[in-house]
Amino acid sequence: MKSFEFFIAKRYIKARSNSNFITIISMVSIVGITIGIAALIVALSVFNGFADLAKKIFLKNDPHIKIVYRKTVSLEKILEIEKIILSLKDETKEVSRYFEGKVLLMKNRQSLPIVLKGLQSLYSDKNEGSLLRLKYGSDINPKSKERTAIIGTFLAVKNALVVNDSIFIISFDGLAKSVSGFSIPPIAKFRISGIYESFNKEFDMTYVFISYENAKKILGRKTIADGIEIRLKNPMKANDLIKKIKEITGENDAQILSWRDLRKDLYFMMDLERIVAFIILLMIIAVASFNLMGSLSMTVIEKKRDIALFRSLGVLPKSIRKIFMLEGIIISLIGIVAGSVLGYIICWAQINYKLYPLDGTRYIIDALPVSLRWEDFAAIAIFSLALTFIASYVPAKKASESQIAESLKWE
Amino acid sequence: MDNNFILIARSVSKTFVNAHGEKLTVVKNASLILEGGLITAIYGPSGAGKSTLLHILAGIEKPDDGAEILIEGENIANMSEKKLSDFRNKKIGLVFQFHYLLPEFTALENVMMPMLIAGDSFNKAEQKARVLLDLVGMNYRANHKPAELSGGEQQRLSIARALANDPKIIFADEPTGNLDSANSEAISKLFIDLKISLKKTFLIVTHNKDLISLADRSFEMRDGVLNCKF
């Protein structure tokens, strides 16, 4: 059953003496909150869009779980860990042993520090190779005796390298030995068999892929792997799997990292950015709440005589407070709903009609990325309601404290 | 027994302190009894404290300590705010000089208001309100807002509102103060009708000579002192 407080609050918002239009004062408050909410939703959704895009790119190139063996780990332990990981076949997409190490790449009398990587799939040797999208050329053939490598697009463009060019690789290990032993450093010649594109400039510039066997030789490794890289069907489940793997391995055997750990600082920065943007944009709602507080205070002054009359008719002060609290809350709810709808429409239009396009030749996307999340809507609604609740409380309390006789006596 | 004494007030005083700290006693030790089913009038010059006394008796203003205002055996001078609000809602009806109708609500809704506050459902309140509007001859204006009504109609409406919840006593503060002589006469007649048909008790503060002459009992108030004029 609706209460008389609600009946009165609703009428105060809606009607002014004989017109049935919404009052200007309520309208201004509603518009303020609507704009604030819409701005918050659009801004957060753009942040989400960029974060999702970055995550998508990183998740494509980065392993979802990376196990890095310690130097002291035994071969038995490595095999035990691999057995566990292979038993989780339902969750994993690809599992590869890897060798990884810094080397110098020599070309055109220049030397560049790069990271050399060799992968060996634990499921079959078919997948051995870069696992990346090849733009030109072909993948590494692990069966072939020939030394072949795959390099990134940016590295290729910057150093004028094309498919079938030769590059020379010197390991830092070999370099150190040659300096102390006054011998010529061991140089390995590779043919570029393919060029990949990762959409990540840093990754493109850094990683050069060769076969697992070649990597073992060049990097001078004695073990069966530096570690294991796992790609999952659902990267969001990385932590669950890590928990299972950690049951049999200790910190002494291996370091286990999730995709989030691999770029901890970046993901932390993205989260921080979102929170800061949320807080700053919440200021818009705070301003709108002050506006609401002002307009409600004016209503309370305007309705001074009505309040006295209600009190003389037997309305308790707490019900008077309730009437004006309800008025504030109804106004803010209208604003929150309208703002959410407006924000949603803007984001939807951006997704479907690209209101704000980007230059597709310069960026990897053709429009400002936007991603809507219901958690944002919930958080915004809760915080806005809390702010407007406080804003309504002050004038409502003042209304409940007014003296009856004084307001009725003095015209 | 004082069965027919609806209200007994003894030693009612009211002192205001102004901004300079000076004390001003507006009502000085007033005592009176309201008999059931009668119209009692209080008259006197402006500023004599009539309205203040009426507000105190109606429970919308607190008297100074020591006052005793008994309505159905209960002293409203010592009531808690919650009990007093309930008392105002159910036991008394108020009519003001400037009617104080709610401008956002229709005539019908204005009359429904005390019943809604008492917790009646909308349907029940509406039914009762229509009966009351009929009683004051205002049913044809049920869906009009107060601004669309004449002064006389507004005052009839506020009398209908005062009758909601079937109160024991109707307090009226200068009910004809703002009306022309024809409307004043109609309102006076309405009071008499209600006294006879509904057996209501009235306390009316007024300047209106006709209204005073219609009263069963009258008091004169001068400089805060209430004098009986039987």
Side-chain angles (χ1 to χ4, degrees):
Chain A
M1 207 190 85
K2 55 181 179 175
S3 65
F4 76 92
E5 289 101 332
F6 184 74
F7 176 60
I8 294 164
K10 211 174 68 182
R11 185 63 57 88
Y12 275 179
I13 295 170
K14 205 179 112 188
R16 180 166 291 247
S17 52
N18 44 18
S19 79
N20 268 336
F21 288 110
I22 201 154
T23 64
I24 288 173
I25 284 177
S26 336
M27 201 65 212
V28 168
S29 303
I30 290 171
V31 167
I33 295 167
T34 303
I35 291 171
I37 299 275
L40 246 175
I41 284 172
V42 171
L44 287 186
S45 298
V46 170
F47 272 104
N48 293 341
F50 275 115
D52 285 357
L53 183 72
K55 213 182 260 177
K56 205 171 114 192
I57 290 170
F58 291 139
L59 282 177
K60 214 176 192 174
N61 304 321
D62 291 347
H64 302 156
I65 297 174
K66 186 172 185 172
I67 300 174
V68 185
Y69 296 132
R70 306 271 184 211
K71 285 227 164 68
T72 54
V73 72
S74 65
L75 185 62
E76 291 80 42
K77 197 76 199 175
I78 290 179
L79 293 172
E80 197 187 337
I81 292 169
E82 285 183 355
K83 212 173 133 190
I84 282 287
I85 294 164
L86 286 174
S87 75
L88 300 168
K89 211 164 179 170
D90 290 344
E91 319 261 350
T92 59
K93 211 157 69 182
E94 282 155 9
V95 179
S96 299
R97 286 177 186 157
Y98 74 88
F99 285 117
E100 186 181 288
K102 277 193 178 146
V103 297
L104 280 178
L105 183 147
M106 313 272 285
K107 179 70 195 172
N108 308 336
R109 295 179 190 182
Q110 272 187 320
S111 61
L112 290 165
I114 54 142
V115 174
L116 200 64
K117 197 159 184 174
L119 292 166
Q120 183 193 39
S121 170
L122 279 187
Y123 292 147
S124 69
D125 23 55
K126 268 186 203 157
N127 284 340
E128 190 175 340
S130 69
L131 307 173
L132 289 155
R133 210 181 90 166
L134 275 185
K135 209 171 177 188
Y136 308 107
S138 55
D139 211 339
I140 307 156
N141 180 2
K143 299 263 160 52
S144 160
K145 288 266 181 262
E146 193 199 5
R147 284 175 168 172
T148 52
I150 295 174
I151 65 168
T153 312
F154 274 98
L155 189 72
V157 169
K158 208 170 173 200
N159 297 288
L161 295 169
V162 293
V163 174
N164 290 333
D165 272 3
S166 295
I167 49 169
F168 298 91
I169 283 164
I170 312 171
S171 80
F172 277 111
D173 251 14
L175 204 62
K177 273 179 202 152
S178 76
V179 169
S180 55
F182 300 104
S183 60
I184 301 160
I187 299 178
K189 185 181 166 190
F190 280 83
R191 180 178 68 85
I192 297 170
S193 73
I195 293 169
Y196 70 80
E197 187 172 35
S198 70
F199 297 113
N200 178 354
K201 191 175 171 184
E202 181 209 331
F203 191 92
D204 263 19
M205 285 296 291
T206 313
Y207 284 90
V208 170
F209 291 85
I210 58 172
S211 74
Y212 170 80
E213 289 299 332
N214 283 334
K216 185 175 178 177
K217 229 174 279 169
I218 301 285
L219 296 169
R221 298 288 198 265
K222 304 276 182 285
T223 53
I224 59 165
D226 283 351
I228 288 190
E229 287 189 357
I230 304 168
R231 298 177 75 76
L232 303 171
K233 284 178 181 146
N234 179 5
M236 300 304 143
K237 282 188 176 165
N239 282 331
D240 298 347
L241 265 82
I242 287 175
K243 218 179 268 169
K244 281 181 195 161
I245 299 166
K246 274 193 173 159
E247 279 170 16
I248 59 140
T249 65
E251 273 295 300
N252 293 331
D253 300 325
Q255 192 187 8
I256 305 174
L257 303 161
S258 70
W259 53 268
R260 192 172 270 278
D261 297 330
L262 289 172
R263 297 186 188 272
K264 215 184 228 162
D265 293 344
L266 188 89
Y267 288 122
F268 173 74
M269 272 308 293
M270 288 199 297
D271 286 345
L272 189 71
E273 239 174 16
R274 256 175 67 82
I275 292 167
V276 170
F278 184 80
I279 292 169
I280 291 171
L281 287 165
L282 211 55
M283 299 289 175
I284 301 178
I285 313 282
V287 171
S289 299
F290 271 112
N291 192 355
L292 177 69
M293 196 194 281
S295 66
L296 265 185
S297 299
M298 281 177 55
T299 311
V300 169
I301 293 166
E302 192 197 313
K303 300 288 175 209
K304 200 177 162 191
R305 210 197 283 158
D306 283 13
I307 294 165
L309 180 83
F310 282 128
R311 295 275 288 110
S312 79
L313 292 180
V315 176
L316 282 167
K318 75 168 189 215
S319 289
I320 299 283
R321 200 171 64 218
K322 199 171 154 192
I323 290 169
F324 289 95
M325 289 294 294
L326 276 171
E327 190 175 341
I329 288 164
I330 294 169
I331 285 174
S332 72
L333 274 178
I334 296 171
I336 288 168
V337 171
S340 300
V341 171
L342 182 65
Y344 182 86
I345 290 171
I346 294 171
C347 291
W348 177 84
Q350 172 64 14
I351 291 167
N352 290 289
Y353 300 105
K354 300 183 173 49
L355 297 184
Y356 191 92
L358 293 176
D359 183 356
T361 58
R362 290 178 57 203
Y363 302 98
I364 51 176
I365 38 171
D366 60 355
L368 200 67
V370 168
S371 157
L372 287 157
R373 287 186 198 162
W374 73 265
E375 306 100 274
D376 291 344
F377 284 85
I380 291 165
I382 289 167
F383 275 93
S384 310
L385 260 183
L387 279 173
T388 49
F389 192 87
I390 297 165
S392 311
Y393 185 79
V394 178
K397 182 144 180 12
K398 195 142 185 79
S400 72
E401 284 164 353
S402 67
Q403 294 297 314
I404 320 171
E406 268 169 51
S407 313
L408 289 177
K409 222 183 285 177
W410 314 119
E411 274 300 304
Chain B
M1 260 311 278
D2 50 5
N3 250 353
N4 205 28
F5 295 161
I6 296 286
L7 182 148
I8 303 167
R10 296 187 189 108
S11 330
V12 178
S13 298
K14 180 71 185 175
T15 308
F16 290 104
V17 181
N18 69 10
H20 307 292
E22 295 161 16
K23 281 187 177 175
L24 188 68
T25 304
V26 184
V27 179
K28 292 170 187 159
N29 206 20
S31 295
L32 88 164
I33 283 174
L34 295 188
E35 285 171 68
L38 297 186
I39 296 177
T40 305
I42 300 176
Y43 63 93
S46 296
K50 306 184 298 292
S51 292
T52 304
L53 179 62
L54 182 126
H55 287 158
I56 291 169
L57 297 180
I60 56 179
E61 198 157 351
K62 282 271 172 202
D64 293 347
D65 289 346
E68 190 182 31
I69 301 159
L70 296 171
I71 295 179
E72 294 191 323
E74 282 196 88
N75 187 0
I76 66 161
N78 299 332
M79 266 186 190
S80 69
E81 187 54 53
K82 195 170 186 290
K83 241 181 135 181
L84 197 59
S85 289
D86 195 51
F87 159 82
R88 283 197 298 263
N89 180 245
K90 300 203 173 77
K91 298 285 160 67
I92 66 159
L94 281 160
V95 179
F96 302 96
Q97 178 179 2
F98 298 100
H99 61 76
Y100 295 142
L101 294 164
L102 299 163
E104 281 87 358
F105 296 85
T106 63
L108 183 69
E109 287 164 343
N110 265 285
V111 180
M112 283 163 68
M113 204 53 84
M115 297 181 262
L116 294 177
I117 293 165
D120 281 359
S121 71
F122 271 70
N123 285 341
K124 196 176 161 196
E126 191 184 328
Q127 274 175 20
K128 287 206 259 176
R130 287 207 184 272
V131 173
L132 292 171
L133 281 178
D134 214 24
L135 199 67
V136 298
M138 284 286 293
N139 230 340
Y140 69 109
R141 292 287 207 184
N143 294 319
H144 289 249
K145 298 251 169 93
E148 297 157 358
L149 306 177
S150 73
E153 286 173 327
Q154 286 173 341
Q155 202 56 296
R156 280 164 180 277
L157 191 57
S158 77
I159 292 167
R161 181 181 63 193
L163 291 168
N165 291 334
D166 197 19
K168 292 266 179 235
I169 316 168
I170 313 276
F171 292 93
D173 189 3
E174 306 269 14
T176 58
N178 229 16
L179 301 175
D180 59 32
S181 56
N183 273 312
S184 290
E185 209 174 302
I187 294 291
S188 304
K189 196 177 164 293
L190 184 59
F191 281 137
I192 299 288
D193 288 350
L194 293 173
K195 182 187 86 164
I196 294 163
S197 62
L198 299 179
K199 311 239 174 327
K200 296 284 176 206
T201 307
F202 289 85
L203 177 65
I204 300 170
V205 163
T206 187
H207 280 114
N208 186 329
K209 293 238 161 51
D210 296 334
L211 203 50
I212 298 166
S213 66
L214 286 173
D216 303 291
R217 306 272 184 271
S218 55
F219 292 84
E220 188 187 17
M221 199 157 185
R222 216 170 263 278
D223 297 326
V225 181
L226 191 68
N227 296 307
C228 194
K229 294 278 175 186
F230 291 150

